[in-house]
Amino acid sequence: MNKPPRRAPPPRFTIVQQRPDRRPLIVTVLVLAWVATLTAAWIGAERRAAPRLPELTAQLDATRVELDHWRDKAETLEQREATLARSDQISRVANKQVQSELAEREEEISDLRSNIAFYERLVGATGQAKGLSVHSAQFSPEAGGTWRYQIVLTQNLNKGAISRGKLRFNVEGVRDGKLASIGWDELHQRQAWPAQDYSFRYFQQLGGSVMLPAGFTPQRVRVSLQNGDVAIEQSLGWSHGGTIASL
């Protein structure tokens, strides 16, 4: 008896032919179509919403140019204003200085006129001829407790002659209920204080500062003038406020 033939076993692997994947291409086409649609929509909306956009853009550019022009002009005007303000400040300072100098000159002129008037009275034809003498004196209190003095010496007896010499003075008054005289050295609080020199043709004003002791009440000043071999003494009364007039 013949045996039936054996069947071959089925193959373990099957070869299947695959089609190419077209999904990325489709996605790309869809994206491009979407972008094109958006672009068309934007252009259409732009044309509908702003049909004059180019004209407005040109006007905006022109406005920016004009704004830059006015900004530059404003900066120039600010610099000019600052320069003018500085010039005005300098002018004010110069004007103030000129006014101060004018006031000083007017004061000097006033002093000169006063000196001329005094000189005219001193050497005038109707004036009385006098030798060396103390014309006037004044003592004024100062901040530090000292007294500022101004003594005017005159002479018109020898017209044209120059008087030279030295001046000292004592202040007489009352201290601790007793008469007292404060000498030249004590007034200057120095030992052997040098006398004050004078030299003039018609008149001269001498000045300085002295210190009166505490508790001392001045009543008169005795001025001593040493002119070569000639010694002159003159007493002057102390009036209220420190003003002194010749006795």
Side-chain angles (χ1 to χ4, degrees):
M1 185 175 180
N2 295 330
K3 293 181 179 181
R6 299 177 66 178
R7 294 180 180 180
R12 295 181 178 180
F13 300 96
T14 303
I15 299 173
V16 180
Q17 185 177 0
Q18 294 184 353
R19 295 180 180 181
D21 190 2
R22 295 182 178 181
R23 287 181 294 177
L25 179 61
I26 294 172
V27 172
T28 302
V29 172
L30 290 176
V31 171
L32 292 176
W34 178 69
V35 172
T37 302
L38 289 179
T39 303
W42 173 262
I43 294 174
E46 186 181 44
R47 290 181 178 178
R48 294 191 190 96
R52 299 179 57 194
L53 185 59
E55 181 181 354
L56 293 175
T57 302
Q59 292 180 358
L60 180 60
D61 293 338
T63 303
R64 288 176 178 172
V65 172
E66 186 175 1
L67 180 61
D68 292 339
H69 167 71
W70 286 111
R71 184 180 291 112
D72 294 339
K73 191 170 184 179
E75 291 178 356
T76 302
L77 291 176
E78 288 179 357
Q79 293 178 358
R80 184 178 301 176
E81 182 181 3
T83 302
L84 291 176
R86 180 59 179 171
S87 177
D88 181 67
Q89 183 181 4
I90 294 174
S91 299
R92 290 177 181 272
V93 172
N95 186 31
K96 186 176 180 180
Q97 184 176 359
V98 169
Q99 291 180 353
S100 177
E101 291 179 357
L102 287 176
E104 292 178 359
R105 298 292 88 76
E106 289 179 357
E107 184 177 357
E108 290 178 359
I109 292 173
S110 178
D111 292 341
L112 290 174
R113 288 176 177 173
S114 177
N115 290 337
I116 290 174
F118 174 77
Y119 172 77
E120 289 177 347
R121 292 194 303 270
L122 183 65
V123 301
T126 58
Q128 182 180 2
K130 294 182 179 180
L132 178 62
S133 64
V134 180
H135 179 267
S136 64
Q138 183 177 3
F139 282 65
S140 302
E142 296 180 314
T146 59
W147 288 80
R148 180 72 182 178
Y149 67 87
Q150 292 181 344
I151 300 176
V152 178
L153 305 180
T154 63
Q155 75 89 18
N156 63 353
L157 183 61
N158 298 322
K159 294 184 178 181
I162 297 178
S163 294
R164 293 186 178 90
K166 297 182 180 297
L167 175 144
R168 289 185 178 87
F169 60 81
N170 298 343
V171 180
E172 299 175 349
V174 177
R175 180 166 55 179
D176 298 332
K178 298 180 180 180
L179 295 177
S181 178
I182 310 302
W184 179 255
D185 292 344
E186 186 177 358
L187 289 171
H188 290 87
Q189 298 184 335
R190 294 289 190 277
Q191 291 293 330
W193 187 256
Q196 192 166 4
D197 294 328
Y198 65 85
S199 177
F200 64 94
R201 190 180 302 274
Y202 296 107
F203 68 95
Q204 183 179 5
Q205 178 176 283
L206 303 176
S209 295
V210 294
M211 175 71 74
L212 296 178
F216 177 78
T217 302
Q219 293 180 342
R220 65 181 55 86
V221 175
R222 186 175 299 276
V223 180
S224 299
L225 302 176
Q226 187 70 36
N227 186 4
D229 296 334
V230 179
I232 299 174
E233 285 194 357
Q234 191 169 345
S235 294
L236 301 102
W238 189 294
S239 62
H240 181 69
T243 302
I244 296 175
S246 175
L247 288 178

